[in-house]
Amino acid sequence: MQDKILLIEDSVALSILLKNKLADDTAAEVFHCESLKEASGLLTQHNFTLALTGLTVADAPNGEILNLLEKHKVPTIVFTATVDERARQHYAEKKIIDYIVKDGRRTVDTVVKTVERILTNRQFSILVVDDAKAARSSLVEILTRQNFSVREAYSGAQALDILSGDSSVQLVITDYYMPDMDGYELTRLIRAKRSSEDIRIIGVSSSTDRMLSAHFLKAGASDFIYRPFVPEELQCRIDNNVETLKQLMRLRELAEKDHLTGLPNRRSFFEQADVLLDALKNSDRTIKSGAVAILDIDHFKQINDTFGHNAGDKALKKLSQLLSSFCGPQDHIVARIGGEEFAIFLKGLDGEKAHAFCERLRMEVESNGKALSGTDIALTISVGVVEVETGGSIDHQLTAADQLLYVAKANGRNQVYSDVTIRSEMREIDRR
């Protein structure tokens, strides 16, 4: 469902700048109004993800707009000319998720970055661990307003149970004093299984022991904060840890994904295939069979030479999309391992089924050849496929598949070559 943002601003210049920038930089639908009356009408018609507003508008000079947004439970970002202690307290009471001081040209960029942060927060799951219900609920309320997915645990043991069954949790906020185990011990146990690149941990406590933060950090916590919280500090610390996770995710994606097609790259394919090979070797045999295929685009150089490398890149992207949709339903692993060369690990398929799968794929590519190439040259593929030998490495399996690919190309291209093909040819020779 598309996010909806309510922009309440009576400055024509600022509202135009904000609306255009939000439209360019986010996928949200932006609704603009200039008064309390207009805002009230829009709030009855739409469910807004969040609102952006000044503290006052023409028909609401005393902050009534915040009361209206609070009534409709819309998370709100306020932009204002100044901030003093009284204003901060007012924002806290109205449960504003953030406030931004107007600062000329920077205001628009700051607002848009804040909106982007709030909209992407939903991708992150946070676990709050505290045996005190009131303290836990207070944190959950703050995080929920920030658009995070939030889970709760009343003890260290329950937190470990949740983490063992839910790998999506990326940030843990844990109190120190708890009856079954303290936050220090919980941090150590989490770190024994999940690294700081995978999950961030923030310790919290109302203790006056200034060494407690050092103990937490030495146990593997990513951050620590003392109660009572300064709301802005808590938000900044959470945002900083989430931003670290985002950066790590970007770096991981760069390391594992092919930059052009978005498919796993060669390194990622080898890592994933090794895991599947180990599963085939294990006595429990969670995977009963498997096969490896290498496919190559026929005469790809002709597309590049005739229509340019941009056309070639577009063809690679379109083929990658087809491969993903074709392999996805059966959870096969497909990767780009070279220029116009792709590899597929076919999970659970023996030699004959793998050959049949690759033949269906070849036919699908052939029937959409010109659409895939985007040119008058119809795109086709040649494929070499082998059933996995449990004693061999993935490198050996790929070498075997590559040899069969070479035969497929030597025999005219646009075909699948495998052990099934060889056996069929041998039987045909015997009949003669």
Side-chain angles (χ1 to χ4, degrees), residues 40 134 171-172 295 327 352:
S40 181
L171 177 64
V172 175
L295 65 91
C327 295
E352 290 192 3

Side-chain angles (χ1 to χ4, degrees), residues 417-432:
Y417 220 82
S418 70
D419 290 339
V420 174
T421 317
I422 294 171
R423 288 196 296 270
S424 176
E425 289 179 351
M426 293 299 293
R427 286 195 295 270
E428 183 63 28
I429 291 171
D430 290 342
R431 281 197 294 270
R432 293 174 184 172

Side-chain angles (χ1 to χ4, degrees), residues 302-336:
Q302 188 177 355
I303 295 176
N304 278 334
D305 291 347
T306 306
F307 299 99
H309 287 278
N310 284 339
D313 288 349
K314 289 178 182 179
L316 287 169
K317 290 178 183 178
K318 288 180 180 179
L319 178 62
S320 298
Q321 292 167 1
L322 185 149
L323 293 174
S324 293
S325 64
F326 210 83
C327 295
Q330 297 184 57
D331 204 24
H332 301 317
I333 300 169
V334 58
R336 183 187 179 201

Side-chain angles (χ1 to χ4, degrees), residues 27-175:
E29 185 178 6
V30 182
F31 295 78
H32 171 242
C33 65
E34 299 180 1
S35 67
L36 181 73
K37 182 179 180 181
E38 289 178 292
S40 181
L42 287 170
L43 286 164
T44 59
Q45 298 172 42
H46 304 278
N47 292 320
F48 289 100
T49 308
L50 58 88
L52 302 168
T53 183
L55 193 56
T56 63
V57 289
D59 58 345
N62 298 310
E64 296 91 341
I65 192 70
L66 298 184
N67 296 329
L68 177 66
L69 292 167
E70 184 183 24
K71 175 184 174 182
H72 286 271
K73 296 181 169 53
V74 181
T76 301
I77 299 170
V78 171
F79 34 91
T80 181
T82 59
V83 178
D84 55 26
E85 189 57 36
R86 183 179 176 185
R88 282 189 62 258
Q89 186 63 34
H90 185 60
Y91 298 147
E93 290 172 356
K94 296 302 179 183
K95 300 176 181 177
I96 304 304
I97 58 177
D98 207 347
Y99 59 83
I100 295 166
V101 179
K102 292 181 181 178
D103 185 18
R105 290 182 302 172
R106 292 182 56 202
T107 301
V108 173
D109 289 338
T110 303
V111 169
V112 172
K113 287 179 181 178
T114 303
V115 170
E116 288 178 323
R117 171 174 59 80
I118 299 300
L119 294 181
T120 57
N121 277 351
R122 68 162 64 93
Q123 302 170 16
F124 294 88
S125 179
I126 299 179
L127 174 62
V128 177
V129 191
D130 199 320
D131 62 311
K133 184 176 180 180
R136 191 173 69 244
S137 298
S138 175
L139 259 176
V140 169
E141 183 184 12
I142 292 169
L143 294 167
T144 302
R145 286 204 310 270
Q146 293 285 331
N147 209 25
F148 289 108
S149 172
V150 187
R151 300 194 65 178
E152 301 178 56
Y154 56 78
S155 69
Q158 187 187 26
L160 292 173
D161 284 343
I162 290 172
L163 291 171
S164 67
D166 185 1
S167 61
S168 70
V169 174
Q170 295 154 294
L171 177 64
V172 175
I173 302 177
T174 177
D175 188 37

